[in-house]
Amino acid sequence: MGNADTLPTPLVDRFNRRITYLRLSVTDRCDFRCVYCMEEKVEFLPRSQILTLEEMLAVARAFVELGVTKIRVTGGEPLVRKNVLWLIREIGRLDGLNELVLTTNGSRLEQMAQDLRAGGVRRLNVSLDSLDPERFRRLTRVGDLDKVLRGIAAARQAGFDRIKLNAVILKHRNHDEISALTQFAVDRGMDISFIEEMPLGVIGEHDRAEVYYSSDQIKADLERRYTLAPTTETTGGPSRYYRVQNTDTRVGFISPHSHNFCSNCNRVRLTAEGRLLLCLGQEDSVDLRAVLRASPDNSQALKTAIVSSMAVKPQGHDFALDRAPKILRFMSHTGG
Ligand code: SAM
Ligand code: SF4
């Protein structure tokens, strides 16, 4: 394990995986209530428990100084956090960071896309589970599809290197839209990833096992219409990619159930309250808020805590649909 005194030190865990990617959840709040992500009535964390933007920047800086080259700003809905553009601009300036990317539900993109691009965000992921306004409303409980589509159009105008759509596919809810969503991406030169629902948090809206629709089924559906060629291209995340023949579009599959992606895990997550989660599907974590607040100006203490966290990064998740969820935090708390 690296010594924080001889920086920059690559973060390497017990399984020899090098950590180069931080997912930073800037808020647990959201203006949507997606049925797979949270309950309709949710209690958000009190503000005093949430890291300030300055504290988040200190963590981001420490990670970059320790060799992290990619940061994803996420949430909750990152664009509802007040002054998030300040944080994004500051992170965008960090020396050594190659990639600043953002995941959003798109509801505020129409107003913010230009500023995000100018602030240094290179790639954007926008969640889009349906192209049918009513269905979109049902899946997000409150979302306005039109607004999101206008947001996507604004993002295309703003000149991001790449825009990727993310769609969580649920059987009998939106599995019949796999082709339409792909065609939407193809027509606009965007990528699209299909995500298997993960058992994070207890939800009452549906039985996660009943709506499970595997990546292999999605791929088979797509192959009725498109020719998919496997590609070794990667964006440094968990997607396995295929190129849609004769198009500029890649289709990715994020398959926590059917194709576990833990062996080449390169990432950790910081929750909005400063908990460093070492694995999406396990509770192992380190409380960086305590370190930050015990010695606010001591970046060395922060780095030492981060380096030490490598010793508790677990080998992998063990998601199962046939038992109650082991992880009680929702994706919105996790930093998806
Ligand atoms: N609010 C932003 C958004 O929706 O893009 C960013 C945060 S959201 C938690 C990040 C991604 O996680 C979204 O693409 C969402 O669809 C996905 N997600 C949320 N809950 C999930 C779950 N239980 N299983 C799989 N993906 C989930
Ligand atoms: Fe909000 Fe994103 Fe969760 Fe939907 S998936 S409720 S948009 S955090």
Side-chain angles (χ1 to χ4, degrees):
M1 193 187 306
N3 175 347
D5 291 333
T6 54
L7 302 174
T9 311
L11 295 169
V12 179
D13 76 358
R14 293 173 293 159
F15 307 99
N16 224 14
R17 295 172 300 192
R18 193 170 166 210
I19 305 309
T20 54
Y21 178 8
L22 171 68
R23 298 175 75 112
L24 187 63
S25 173
V26 296
T27 179
D28 63 325
R29 289 164 198 254
C30 188
D31 50 351
F32 287 6
R33 297 284 182 277
C34 302
V35 293
Y36 46 74
C37 181
M38 53 172 84
E39 290 287 54
E40 189 159 17
K41 293 206 183 347
V42 266
E43 270 191 41
F44 295 117
L45 293 164
R47 266 180 221 291
S48 61
Q49 287 187 25
I50 300 283
L51 294 192
T52 63
L53 295 179
E54 288 77 8
E55 287 171 330
M56 287 183 181
L57 177 60
V59 175
R61 180 177 291 121
F63 267 102
V64 172
E65 289 177 3
L66 288 167
V68 158
T69 54
K70 173 175 174 183
I71 294 183
R72 175 175 303 282
V73 174
T74 181
E77 173 48 41
L79 301 186
V80 304
R81 174 91 197 233
K82 204 167 159 210
N83 291 332
V84 71
L85 280 169
W86 174 84
L87 177 66
I88 285 170
R89 277 194 294 269
E90 292 297 319
I91 294 177
R93 284 197 194 114
L94 293 176
D95 232 2
L97 185 73
N98 297 335
E99 269 194 288
L100 173 59
V101 293
L102 178 108
T103 301
T104 174
N105 64 21
S107 70
R108 300 195 177 192
L109 264 185
E110 192 178 10
Q111 300 82 4
M112 297 177 75
Q114 293 275 2
D115 287 339
L116 290 169
R117 182 66 196 97
V121 175
R122 285 191 21 207
R123 288 191 293 112
L124 204 61
N125 285 2
V126 187
S127 299
L128 183 68
D129 300 331
S130 174
L131 291 166
D132 175 272
E134 265 182 45
R135 197 184 259 194
F136 185 83
R137 170 67 53 96
R138 276 203 298 277
L139 285 167
T140 59
R141 289 203 183 92
V142 289
D144 176 353
L145 175 64
D146 224 42
K147 226 181 191 181
V148 173
L149 295 182
R150 290 202 303 273
I152 292 172
R156 291 180 67 217
Q157 290 283 320
F160 290 95
D161 289 359
R162 209 69 206 153
I163 302 174
K164 182 171 75 127
L165 303 178
N166 276 343
V168 175
I169 297 298
L170 308 179
K171 185 155 66 178
H172 301 313
R173 304 295 288 268
N174 63 347
H175 82 264
D176 55 343
E177 283 196 73
I178 292 164
S179 274
L181 286 164
T182 304
Q183 192 58 44
F184 180 89
V186 166
D187 291 342
R188 289 160 184 76
M190 302 187 295
D191 295 326
I192 182 162
S193 277
F194 292 105
I195 308 175
E196 289 177 353
E197 187 187 16
M198 303 174 211
L200 296 175
V202 179
I203 52 162
E205 205 266 350
H206 58 266
D207 178 331
R208 297 205 202 253
E210 261 172 45
V211 301
Y212 176 58
Y213 203 77
S214 74
S215 293
D216 289 345
Q217 285 170 291
I218 298 172
K219 183 162 167 281
D221 291 353
L222 278 176
E223 282 173 329
R224 283 200 281 275
R225 178 159 171 193
Y226 303 99
T227 302
L228 301 182
T231 160
T232 51
E233 290 167 273
T234 167
T235 53
S239 274
R240 293 173 295 123
Y241 281 105
Y242 293 79
R243 195 158 271 285
V244 184
Q245 203 176 43
N246 301 325
T247 77
D248 193 25
T249 294
R250 287 171 303 176
V251 176
F253 297 97
I254 302 178
S255 325
H257 296 290
S258 56
H259 297 266
N260 176 313
F261 40 66
C262 300
S263 62
N264 50 10
C265 182
N266 60 352
R267 56 204 155 269
V268 291
R269 294 172 162 80
L270 186 77
T271 70
E273 75 265 48
R275 200 173 146 209
L276 182 64
L277 286 171
L278 284 315
C279 174
L280 175 65
Q282 305 284 359
E283 288 296 359
D284 306 77
S285 68
V286 172
D287 182 3
L288 292 187
R289 184 181 62 195
V291 179
L292 278 161
R293 294 192 179 170
S295 33
D297 297 316
N298 187 345
S299 63
Q300 205 54 41
L302 192 56
K303 284 184 201 161
T304 302
I306 293 170
V307 171
S308 307
S309 75
M310 292 297 106
V312 293
K313 184 166 166 62
Q315 190 160 19
H317 70 243
D318 56 351
F319 289 138
L321 289 166
D322 57 359
R323 57 165 152 77
K326 183 170 136 182
I327 301 297
L328 296 178
R329 63 186 140 74
F330 291 114
M331 188 63 124
S332 55
H333 279 186
T334 305

